[in-house]
Every structure is written in structure tokens, then in C-alpha cells.
């Protein structure tokens, strides 16, 4: 098999919210790509060995002041370049064109007329006008526009509000688009990216799940040889896929440590054991540490104190177990590509950071174990796809995210076992009903929050004075902003009745209608 990384694209990031989406479109086209900040040393750009470059959009204006630039040496490489939105404007300005403020910003749908018969847009269209012009329905989001085409370029696309919505210098294979082909609103976006990547840059389609698995297995085997590896298995998607991948690659050389902290979801610990240990034959050591966690949490009500206590104890227990595996030389981690980008290490290659911002506070560096991170190059959707191909059930792979501190941050204030047990049951009812009503996959995250206040209720002739829970369900793409999910009233009514009928400790159910911002997704 040829190296999966032979054909690759480099994306220079100018800060657009869509940059990762561009990368996903490239990957979906079967081509490996990475994202570098626009101001990385040029040598790194050159040494990456891309077959072509994409310049992302960004929030800045090229007009006035010091603005992010395109490294002009890029054009000396004589490789194809595609500039999107800001990427096109910066390129146009630096190559001798002119950019102006459009007077008013344009956000939303637009109809673009493709012109100039360029390689990039040839035969790609949504419909034709009566005059025979090919038209594209696209997504625009910009305040500036190109006012003068740089020398050597010709017009490739135009709209009413942006007469220069696309430019091309076909002799140098340099293209610019004012609209965003990476968002799904641009109907022919995938076709445009594929045209650029395959046809103009000449990349093949080697980047597939099957090839990624095969190559990761080979890499892991070459890296660890006959050494032993340990992995903290949480039951979340990333660590689960690492477990499955490493098990396939090195079998019994892998030992997973699964710490049940008593703050997991309903029957989660048993599910993890049954899937990995019983079903897949992975060597998993389960540590039942509920008592230790609950003891540590006693008297703590501040969310940050709780997070720290849970994270530190996790590390303590993990280290105790790791010490017992004294032959282990490697520590496996479920770091994925967005973590690498966020750690700002993507470009320098220096980032060999332990996943500290995530889950349980990270593992200590003085463990003297070397890291193996087989998902380091992958986006979440790629990780999921690989998980499915490695035989992890869909239900586990597509499970909503769950915070590292678990129910510890969903029981407001001080945590105790009775509250955790009650919350687990309520959460289970909500999730079970979401699945039954085909709503689970329509929301990004859903859960129940336990409120340690009491409220009066009535059952039959009796008065109840019990706890309150809140249902929370959100829709989001990136978890940075979110909308509360507009779940049907009948459905909410049904869930609320079930919870109050089946769980004695709960006398009231509310629905959280806070967006993020100003709220957060979790309550603590
Ligand atoms: P917030 O509450 O910040 O949550 O809007 C955004 C996403 O992050 C998850 N979350 C956490 N994940 N450790 C984690 O691993 C944490 O301490 C933590 N806090 C929040 C949350 O579930 C949501 O998906």
C-alpha cells in the first residue's frame, strides 16, 4: 500500500469558524490534510510536502493596519492554491489587485454566476438562466470584496453584490472564491472541493477508513514492538476506539484500566466491561472506586473543587494500577486532531502534550511512559467511522459526549450516593425515551441535572416533598455555542410523568431553556 500521506493538502488558517470544516471536506474527498496557522515559518509550509494549498477565510479585513498575509513564497512553489473569502481577498490584494469594503455585510444565500469557463467550476452548476449562464446557489459571509482583479487573473464568478466573487489565474493554477464551498448550504461545495483536490492538485483518494486502520496498525506495531501498553479506558468514543485499534494491532500487549468512579451513567460500567472484555477480548482491569470518589467529594460543593478532586483521584488510582503493570513502557491516549490544533502544536510538531484540558485533568508526565496516540491525526467523524469498522456498536460510537467528572458536575453542590443513584435513573429514562422516539440522534447532547432543592408535590392523597430534576437537551455543531432543543411537548410530558411516577425521590421535572451563551451546556 502506498503511504496514505503521499497526496496531501495544506490549509492555512486565517481564523475562520469554517477552517475545520474545510479540512473535513478534504478528508471526505479521500485526501489527508492538515491545518497550519497562516503565520507559521515558511520552511514548515514548504517541508509539509502538499500537492496544493487552501487559504481559509477569516474575521480580519485586508484594508488598513497590519493584517494577516499570504506568504508570497507560496506562489514560487508553483503548486495550486485556492483562497476562500478572506484567503482570496488577501491573495488578490498582495498580487496587485484591490479590496474594498462592500458598504454592507452580506451573510446568507446568494446566487453566483459562474463565468470564464475555468477548470475549477466547469460543468458545475445548480441551474441555468434563460440566457444560458450556469448558476450556483452558495453561502456568503463577508464585509469586504475584491474591487480590482490582480494582473494575470480573470473573472471566474460574480454576484450582484460581489461582482468579483471568484478569480482565477489558470496558468499558475491559483483560484479564489468569495463564497464558502465548505458549508452544506453551498450545494455544489463538495464538487468544487473535489475538483480542486483531485483534478487540479492531482491527489488520489487513499484516505479511507480501511486504509487508515491498516496504516495505524502498522505504525503502532512498528512503534511499540513487543512492549506492553496501558490505556485509561473511559467508555467515551476516543478511548474506546483506541482500545479497539490497539487490541487489533497488538492484542494482549494492551492492558486497559477502567476506573468506575460511581459517577457514570446507568449501567455504563457493566456495558464497558461487557463490550470490551467479554465481547472483544480486550484485557481490561476494572477498578471499582465509587467509595473512594464519594469520600473525596464529601463536603465539597464548589464545581471547580469537585472537578479537581475527581481529576486528582483518577490520576492517583490510575498511577497505582499503572505501577502494577511494571512492564508497560507506553501510555496510549485518545488525543484527536482538534485537540492537537487547540493545543496550538499542529504546526510546530512540538506538541506532545498530554490531554490536559480534557476529561480527568490529564495524566502526570513523570510516569516515565512514552505516549502512543493513534488518533492524533483524526477528526471525530473519522474516529467514529473507524470505531464502527472495528466492531464497536453504533450505540456506543455515537453516544452523546459525557464530561470527565461525570455525574459529579450534574449533581449541583455536594454529591452523595443517593443523589447519584436517583440521577442515574432519571437520566436513563430520558435517554431511553429519546431513543424510542428517534430523537436521540437529533440532539447533540441530552441529560438530566439533579437539583438539591425540595419542592412540594402530591400523589394520590399524599403530599410529597422531594427533589427537582431538570432535563437538558441541546443542538450544537461545536459545543462552543448551543441552542436548547425544541423537543415536542408531548414527548416532554411523557418523560416528566415517567420520571415522577417511577422515581419516588423526584417530585418535579423542569426543562432547561437556556442557550449557550449565556448559559453553558452543563450546569456546573
Ligand atoms: P459547557 O458546559 O462548557 O460544555 O458548555 C461544553 C461541552 O464540554 C463538556 N464538558 C466537559 N467535558 N470535562 C469534560 O471532559 C469537563 O470538566 C467538562 N465540562 C463540560 C460538556 O458535557 C459539553 O459537551
Amino acid at each position: 500500500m502506498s503511504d496514505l500521506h503521499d497526496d496531501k493538502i495544506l490549509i492555512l488558517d486565517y481564523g475562520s469558524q469554517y477552517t475545520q470544516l474545510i479540512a473535513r471536506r478534504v478528508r471526505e474527498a479521500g485526501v489527508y490534510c492538515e491545518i497550519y496557522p497562516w503565520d507559521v515559518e515558511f520552511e514548515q509550509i514548504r517541508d509539509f510536502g502538499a500537492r496544493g494549498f487552501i487559504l481559509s477565510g477569516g474575521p480580519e479585513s485586508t484594508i488598513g493596519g497590519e493584517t494577516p498575509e499570504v506568504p508570497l513564497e507560496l506562489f514560487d512553489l508553483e503548486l495550486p492554491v485556492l483562497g476562500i473569502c478572506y484567503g482570496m481577498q488577501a491573495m488578490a490584494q498582495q498580487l496587485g489587485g484591490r479590496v474594498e469594503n462592500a458598504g454592507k455585510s452580506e451573510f446568507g444565500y446568494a446566487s453566483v454566476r459562474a463565468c470564464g469557463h475555468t477548470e475549477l467550476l466547469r460543468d458545475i452548476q445548480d441551474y441555468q438562466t434563460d440566457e444560458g449562464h450556469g448558476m450556483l446557489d452558495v453561502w456568503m459571509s463577508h464585509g469586504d470584496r475584491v474591487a480590482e482583479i490582480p494582473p494575470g487573473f480573470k473573472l471566474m464568478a460574480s454576484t450582484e453584490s460581489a461582482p468579483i466573487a471568484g478569480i482565477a489565474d489558470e496558468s499558475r493554477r491559483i483560484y479564489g472564491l468569495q463564497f464558502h464551498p465548505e458549508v452544506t448550504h453551498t450545494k455544489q461545495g463538495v464538487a468544487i472541493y473535489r475538483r480542486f483536490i483531485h483534478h487540479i492538485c492531482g491527489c488520489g483518494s487513499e484516505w479511507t477508513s480501511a486504509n487508515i486502520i491498516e496504516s495505524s496498525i502498522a505504525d503502532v506495531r512498528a512503534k511499540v514492538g513487543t512492549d506492553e501498553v496501558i490505556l485509561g479506558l473511559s467508555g467515551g468514543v476516543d478511548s474506546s476506539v483506541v482500545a479497539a485499534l490497539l487490541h487489533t494491532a497488538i492484542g494482549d500487549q494492551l492492558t486497559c484500566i477502567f476506573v468506575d468512579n460511581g459517577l457514570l451513567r446507568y449501567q455504563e460500567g457493566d456495558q464497558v466491561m461487557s463490550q470490551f472484555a467479554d465481547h472483544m477480548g480486550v484485557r481490561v482491569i476494572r477498578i471499582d472506586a465509587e467509595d473512594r470518589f464519594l469520600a473525596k467529594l464529601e463536603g465539597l460543593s464548589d464545581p471547580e473543587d469537585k472537578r479537581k478532586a475527581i481529576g486528582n483521584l483518577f490520576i492517583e488510582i490510575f498511577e497505582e494500577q499503572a505501577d502494577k503493570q511494571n512492564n508497560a513502557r507506553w501510555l496510549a491516549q485518545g488525543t484527536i486532531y482538534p485537540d492537537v490544533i487547540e493545543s496550538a502544536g499542529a504546526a510546530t510538531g512540538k506538541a506532545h502534550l498530554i490531554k490536559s484540558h480534557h476529561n480527568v485533568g490529564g495524566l502526570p508526565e513523570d510516569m516515565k511512559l512514552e505516549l502512543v496516540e493513534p488518533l492524533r491525526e483524526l477528526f471525530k467523524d473519522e474516529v467514529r467511522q473507524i470505531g464502527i469498522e472495528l466492531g464497536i456498536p453504533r450505540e456506543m460510537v455515537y453516544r452523546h459526549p459525557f464530561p470527565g467528572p461525570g455525574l459529579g458536575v450534574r449533581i449541583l453542590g455536594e454529591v452523595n450516593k443517593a443523589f447519584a443513584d436517583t440521577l442515574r435513573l432519571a437520566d436513563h429514562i430520558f435517554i431511553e425515551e429519546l431513543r424510542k422516539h428517534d430523537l436521540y440522534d437529533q440532539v447533540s447532547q441530552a441529560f438530566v441535572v439533579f437539583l438539591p432543592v425540595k419542592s412540594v408535590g402530591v400523589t394520590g392523597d399524599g403530599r410529597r416533598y422531594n427533589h427537582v430534576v431538570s432535563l437538558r437537551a441541546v443542538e450544537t455543531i461545536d459545543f462552543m455555542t448551543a441552542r436548547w432543543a425544541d423537543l415536542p411537548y408531548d414527548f416532554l410530558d411523557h418523560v416528566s410523568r415517567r420520571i415522577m411516577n417511577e422515581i419516588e425521590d423526584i417530585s418535579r421535572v423542569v426543562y432547561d431553556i437556556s442557550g449557550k451563551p449565556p448559559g453553558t451546556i452543563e450546569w456546573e
Side-chain angles (χ1 to χ4, degrees):
M1 187 176 74
S2 59
D3 188 327
L4 282 186
H5 304 85
D6 279 351
D7 287 351
K8 56 192 172 193
I9 298 286
L10 184 61
I11 299 161
L12 289 189
D13 182 21
Y14 288 85
S16 166
Q17 55 175 333
Y18 300 134
T19 305
Q20 290 196 23
L21 211 49
I22 300 177
R24 286 174 46 196
R25 293 290 169 265
V26 177
R27 302 274 188 104
E28 283 159 12
V31 177
Y32 181 67
C33 64
E34 286 189 27
I35 299 171
Y36 282 10
W38 64 272
D39 56 352
V40 71
E41 294 290 327
F42 180 71
E43 288 67 42
Q44 290 190 42
I45 296 180
R46 190 194 54 210
D47 296 347
F48 180 72
R51 292 215 187 277
F53 299 94
I54 299 174
L55 315 175
S56 84
E60 311 269 351
S61 166
T62 58
I63 305 165
E66 271 187 32
T67 56
E69 292 192 339
V70 182
L72 286 174
E73 305 99 307
L74 192 69
F75 303 106
D76 299 336
L77 298 177
E78 297 183 2
L79 290 165
V81 179
L82 171 62
I84 308 288
C85 196
Y86 180 85
M88 147 158 152
Q89 293 164 8
M91 195 168 73
Q93 173 126 321
Q94 288 176 247
L95 295 178
R98 190 171 62 81
V99 175
E100 66 180 10
N101 188 276
K104 82 179 189 335
S105 299
E106 184 182 15
F107 297 104
Y109 290 100
S111 275
V112 168
R113 181 180 147 189
C115 28
H117 301 282
T118 55
E119 281 297 300
L120 187 68
L121 298 184
R122 187 170 36 82
D123 300 332
I124 298 179
Q125 62 180 41
D126 288 301
Y127 63 99
Q128 264 196 359
T129 60
D130 293 342
E131 299 87 49
H133 300 306
M135 301 293 289
L136 293 164
D137 290 330
V138 306
W139 186 255
M140 287 276 197
S141 166
H142 66 114
D144 292 351
R145 64 184 178 195
V146 174
E148 270 173 40
I149 299 179
F153 281 75
K154 66 178 179 184
L155 186 66
M156 175 169 66
S158 75
T159 73
E160 243 161 63
S161 59
I164 303 175
I167 54 174
D169 176 346
E170 298 224 88
S171 64
R172 294 201 287 164
R173 297 181 295 170
I174 305 175
Y175 299 88
L177 290 172
Q178 183 55 67
F179 59 87
H180 290 274
E182 60 277 7
V183 303
T184 47
H185 307 289
T186 298
K187 292 194 199 135
Q188 300 298 329
V190 169
I192 295 171
Y193 273 118
R194 285 178 183 258
R195 175 68 60 79
F196 179 70
I197 295 160
H198 298 304
H199 186 81
I200 295 172
C201 299
C203 294
S205 312
E206 293 291 310
W207 189 257
T208 61
S209 302
N211 288 348
I212 297 170
I213 292 173
E214 198 181 324
S215 126
S216 305
I217 289 175
D219 286 352
V220 168
R221 285 183 182 151
K223 190 166 184 176
V224 309
T226 54
D227 295 342
E228 291 190 14
V229 180
I230 52 173
L231 164 70
L233 180 63
S234 70
V237 181
D238 303 339
S239 70
S240 297
V241 175
V242 174
L245 191 64
L246 291 187
H247 180 66
T248 314
I250 56 170
D252 272 355
Q253 285 164 250
L254 171 71
T255 302
C256 297
I257 297 172
F258 170 59
V259 180
D260 184 343
N261 58 11
L263 303 167
L264 301 177
R265 289 166 284 192
Y266 184 72
Q267 293 183 339
E268 189 168 3
D270 295 342
Q271 279 163 11
V272 168
M273 290 310 288
S274 112
Q275 175 59 32
F276 288 95
D278 306 341
H279 197 70
M280 294 172 71
V282 179
R283 190 206 305 251
V284 189
I285 299 175
R286 176 179 184 159
I287 315 292
D288 281 311
E290 181 181 43
D291 293 347
R292 284 177 74 178
F293 277 89
L294 290 175
K296 261 273 172 353
L297 286 168
E298 218 177 291
L300 296 186
S301 51
D302 178 80
E304 282 315 301
D305 292 346
K306 285 168 33 178
R307 271 198 170 75
K308 260 187 230 138
I310 297 169
N312 290 342
L313 183 55
F314 178 88
I315 291 171
E316 203 179 303
I317 294 175
F318 190 86
E319 279 191 289
E320 287 167 15
Q321 287 307 314
D323 277 347
K324 294 185 189 159
Q325 311 294 315
N326 45 20
N327 286 330
R329 279 208 37 221
W330 298 87
L331 175 66
Q333 296 243 334
T335 314
I336 65 172
Y337 191 44
D339 303 332
V340 177
I341 301 174
E342 274 158 37
S343 311
T348 60
K350 284 185 207 134
H352 222 229
L353 300 178
I354 302 216
K355 198 169 181 178
S356 60
H357 57 290
H358 216 254
N359 290 340
V360 268
L363 297 167
E365 277 177 78
D366 60 7
M367 287 187 76
K368 308 219 171 29
L369 293 167
E370 286 190 77
L371 285 182
V372 42
E373 299 176 304
L375 311 181
R376 212 179 146 76
E377 290 181 341
L378 307 183
F379 284 104
K380 196 85 175 184
D381 43 355
E382 295 171 321
V383 171
R384 291 201 161 107
Q385 194 52 42
I386 283 173
I388 297 280
E389 296 205 13
L390 290 169
I392 305 175
R394 197 182 179 284
E395 205 177 282
M396 263 185 142
V397 165
Y398 283 91
R399 207 163 196 192
H400 293 165
F402 188 60
L407 302 187
V409 289
R410 290 183 180 168
I411 295 165
L412 304 195
E414 195 174 338
V415 173
N416 65 45
K417 180 163 166 55
F419 290 176
D421 287 341
T422 300
L423 175 55
R424 247 186 294 273
L425 284 179
D427 189 71
H428 173 61
I429 291 174
F430 187 29
I431 299 299
E432 185 176 69
E433 291 297 334
L434 282 164
R435 286 199 194 277
K436 263 195 212 156
H437 289 80
D438 278 339
L439 291 166
Y440 186 82
D441 290 328
Q442 289 182 38
V443 297
S444 313
Q445 195 173 9
F447 52 91
V448 177
V449 182
F450 185 89
L451 314 185
V453 290
K454 286 196 163 187
S455 159
V456 173
V458 57
T459 332
D461 293 335
R463 177 181 179 277
R464 283 167 86 168
Y465 184 52
N466 274 326
H467 287 110
V468 182
V469 293
S470 174
L471 310 180
R472 177 75 162 142
V474 294
E475 290 168 13
T476 172
I477 302 223
D478 55 7
F479 295 88
M480 307 292 282
T481 61
R483 307 162 25 142
W484 54 274
D486 190 8
L487 293 173
Y489 284 180
D490 285 354
F491 169 79
L492 290 171
D493 180 57
H494 175 67
V495 173
S496 127
R497 281 172 199 274
R498 262 199 73 187
I499 290 177
M500 285 186 292
N501 284 336
E502 294 174 32
I503 308 173
E504 216 182 290
D505 296 342
I506 298 176
S507 62
R508 195 169 294 260
V509 175
V510 299
Y511 188 51
D512 181 355
I513 52 165
S514 322
K516 173 182 180 176
T520 48
I521 296 173
E522 303 287 346
W523 279 43
E524 280 198 338

